[in-house]
Amino acid sequence: MTELPARRLLLVHAHPDDESINNGATMARYAAEGAQVTLVTCTLGERGEVIPPALRHLTGAALGEHRLGELTAALRELGVTDSGLLGGAGRYGDSGMMGLPDNDDPGCFWQADVDTAAASLAEVVLRTRPQVVVTYDDHGGYGHPDHIQAHRVAMRAVELAADAGWTVPKVYWNRVPRSVAEDAFARLRADLPGLPFDRVAAVDDLPGVVDDDRITTAIDGTAYAGAKAAAMRAHATQIDVAPDAPYFALSNELAQPLFTTEYYELVRGERPRERESDLFAGVEAVAR
Ligand SMILES: [Zn+2]
């Protein structure tokens, strides 16, 4: 068995683009610092709405294939070399937004058997032996079926891997502290006249916003702001990133802040007394 890097991080996301929006700075920083950074994406996002008019002809499988190319380009910007699609490309279909008939498609991720999907992910956990797993909260951050399912599958995979010989010491959910979101939106509203957006999202539109006291960890990725913005730009079908300003919009055209400090809530592992600045804090770095 080849020796693994001493620090190992696994992120589980629903669609191509979620990794860059939520964790782009974190991924770039740990990759640059020599940690093993592994991304598992559960679907190809082939039901996503396409922003650029010139690409709107892409739908279904063609869009999924295109988004896989965007993901590859984004990971290159982040310096991340280990990634895969859960169960292989196309195994789980995008479920579409909550409440749509797409949710009933038997091939969609929302209809997947959690234990079966988690067994596939547990194989990745056993191969990569992460000390840290990052995913969404039980609401998927904002209620998208694929994000909720990614949460369920990730949490179950951690249990299955523990039974099979690798106990993940720390599991985190993606978060944004309410005060940080409110401050960022105040700046955004002030900056709006100089931005290529007409309207602004609301704090409650952001995934994972919680009261500040729930935040256990803040990762300062300021030095990787450029890499994160470049990775987000690589997802051109999904994200419209402002030039030279830390803002972006999704297909709803509502401007929102682009965070380069990324926040987390530790949900497995001993809760720290003070806010951590390193996902691996307290973890013994062991190559094995
Ligand atoms: Zn998503």
Side-chain angles (χ1 to χ4, degrees):
M1 185 173 180
T2 51
E3 194 159 280
L4 299 171
R7 297 190 298 166
R8 303 177 297 275
L9 168 63
L10 171 66
L11 303 103
V12 181
H13 275 294
H15 311 110
D17 79 354
D18 293 315
E19 79 298 328
S20 297
I21 296 169
N22 287 280
N23 311 111
T26 302
M27 293 170 75
R29 178 178 143 179
Y30 283 111
E33 291 178 358
Q36 171 181 281
V37 178
T38 303
L39 171 69
V40 173
T41 306
C42 296
T43 81
L44 288 170
E46 70 276 10
R47 294 192 199 272
E49 272 184 59
V50 174
I51 296 174
L55 295 174
R56 286 199 191 138
H57 62 280
L58 293 169
T59 57
L63 178 57
E65 192 173 326
H66 186 87
R67 291 189 67 178
L68 185 54
E70 291 181 337
L71 178 60
T72 303
L75 293 178
R76 201 177 301 129
E77 299 290 354
L78 299 176
V80 170
T81 54
D82 189 22
S83 68
L85 277 295
L86 183 64
R91 172 67 180 82
Y92 296 109
D94 187 332
S95 309
M97 289 294 185
M98 186 62 93
L100 296 179
D102 301 337
N103 305 163
D104 300 326
D105 185 327
C108 84
F109 191 42
W110 186 236
Q111 295 295 332
D113 177 68
V114 170
D115 277 347
T116 304
S120 291
L121 183 58
E123 288 175 20
V124 178
V125 175
L126 293 169
R127 171 176 65 81
T128 60
R129 298 178 165 256
Q131 293 105 341
V132 176
V133 168
V134 169
T135 190
Y136 316 104
D137 66 20
D138 53 1
H139 184 54
Y142 73 111
H144 190 296
D146 290 327
H147 287 235
I148 295 171
Q149 191 79 320
H151 158 87
R152 292 174 180 165
V153 168
M155 300 307 282
R156 182 70 181 128
V158 167
E159 291 176 359
L160 294 176
D163 293 343
W166 181 255
T167 300
V168 176
K170 299 179 93 176
V171 176
Y172 290 94
W173 293 343
N174 289 304
R175 290 301 190 200
V176 178
R178 189 170 302 280
S179 70
V180 169
E182 285 170 353
D183 290 350
F185 272 106
R187 281 194 298 278
L188 166 53
R189 281 188 290 271
D191 290 346
L192 191 64
L195 297 174
F197 308 113
D198 296 326
R199 292 175 300 139
V200 172
V203 168
D204 290 333
D205 294 331
L206 293 190
V209 174
V210 290
D211 291 341
D212 294 26
D213 59 4
R214 301 221 3 219
I215 307 297
T216 57
T217 312
I219 301 301
D220 182 354
T222 312
Y224 301 94
K228 177 169 181 170
M232 288 174 64
R233 278 197 186 91
H235 291 288
T237 62
Q238 305 300 308
I239 311 177
D240 185 6
V241 183
D244 309 319
Y247 305 111
F248 70 99
L250 301 172
S251 62
N252 60 15
E253 299 181 357
L254 300 174
Q256 56 176 289
L258 190 166
F259 295 109
T260 51
T261 295
E262 294 166 343
Y263 298 89
Y264 301 89
E265 179 178 8
L266 182 71
V267 296
R268 181 184 169 113
E270 195 180 339
R271 204 176 167 89
R273 278 199 207 96
E274 290 181 5
R275 200 179 272 188
E276 305 166 326
S277 57
D278 178 7
L279 294 172
F280 293 93
V283 166
E284 195 185 345
V286 182
R288 53 190 292 177

